[in-house]
Amino acid sequence: MGGTYWTRIASPVGELLLTADADGALTSLSVPGQKGGRSVEPGWLADPGPFTAAGEQLAAYFAGELKEFHLELRARGTDFRERVWAALDDVPYGATTTYGEIAARVGAARMAVRAVGGAIGANPLLIVRPCHRVIGANGSMTGYAGGLDRKVRLLTLEGAVAAG
C-alpha cells in the first residue's frame, strides 16, 4: 500500500489541507492562499481516516486546550531544512523566538539567517510545526507563508501577543 492520503479540516484560520503518507504520518498541513502550500494532486486518496488524531488535536489547539501536538510527522527536506524544522519543534507554546536564535540552535553562522528564514518559510507543516512562533529580532511580525494575519491570530491564541 502506498500513496498520499489527504483530507480537509475546517478551522478558525480557514480550511486546512492535510496530507499523510501510507503509514499515516502527517506530511503537510496547508492553509488557503499559503505561499508554497500544497494542492490536491491526481492520484492522491481522499480519506479522512489517517487524520483522526490530527483533527482532534487541531480542534483542541484552536479551543485553547492543547499546547503541544503529539503526531507522527514526516516532512522531507534537505538536511539543513530538517535541522531548522526540528528546532521549531522546541519553541514552546506561548513563546516566540527569532530567526537568529534558530540559526544559533542549528549551529548556523549569524550570516545564515536568510537561509534559516528560507527553511522556515518552506515548512510544510504549518501550525503543528510552529513556524508562526518565529518573529523578527526587533519583535516585528515578519515572514509567515500562511499570511501575517494568521500568524498574529495563532500567536494571540497562544497568548504570545496581546489581543488587539
Side-chain angles (χ1 to χ4, degrees), residues 105-130:
R105 286 183 195 180
V106 299
R110 187 85 175 131
M111 301 297 289
V113 170
R114 281 191 183 270
V116 167
I120 291 169
N123 172 25
L125 289 158
L126 295 193
I127 304 168
V128 297
R129 177 156 281 151

Side-chain angles (χ1 to χ4, degrees), residues 9-164:
I9 296 175
S11 87
V13 295
E15 187 175 65
L16 308 177
L17 172 64
L18 285 74
T19 63
D21 64 16
D23 296 326
L26 198 61
T27 56
S28 73
L29 188 158
S30 300
V31 298
Q34 175 183 333
K35 180 182 173 188
R38 299 197 74 179
S39 300
V40 177
E41 295 183 15
W44 284 8
L45 307 165
D47 182 357
F51 306 98
T52 302
E56 291 168 354
Q57 289 184 40
L58 284 161
Y61 170 80
F62 285 116
E65 300 165 356
L66 181 82
K67 295 184 175 14
E68 188 176 326
F69 290 96
H70 298 282
L71 299 167
E72 185 177 353
L73 307 178
R74 192 166 296 133
R76 301 277 185 235
T78 64
D79 288 342
F80 179 75
R81 283 185 174 180
E82 289 183 11
R83 286 196 335 263
V84 170
W85 297 341
L88 293 175
D89 292 337
D90 294 334
V91 181
Y93 181 97
T96 58
T97 191
T98 66
Y99 294 92
E101 289 167 348
I102 294 290
R105 286 183 195 180
V106 299
R110 187 85 175 131
M111 301 297 289
V113 170
R114 281 191 183 270
V116 167
I120 291 169
N123 172 25
L125 289 158
L126 295 193
I127 304 168
V128 297
R129 177 156 281 151
C131 55
H132 59 275
R133 297 179 187 153
V134 183
I135 61 174
N138 63 359
S140 62
M141 297 294 147
T142 61
Y144 185 60
L148 292 181
D149 57 330
R150 282 193 185 100
K151 180 175 193 153
V152 170
R153 285 185 72 181
L154 294 170
L155 291 173
T156 302
L157 169 73
E158 295 182 8
V161 299

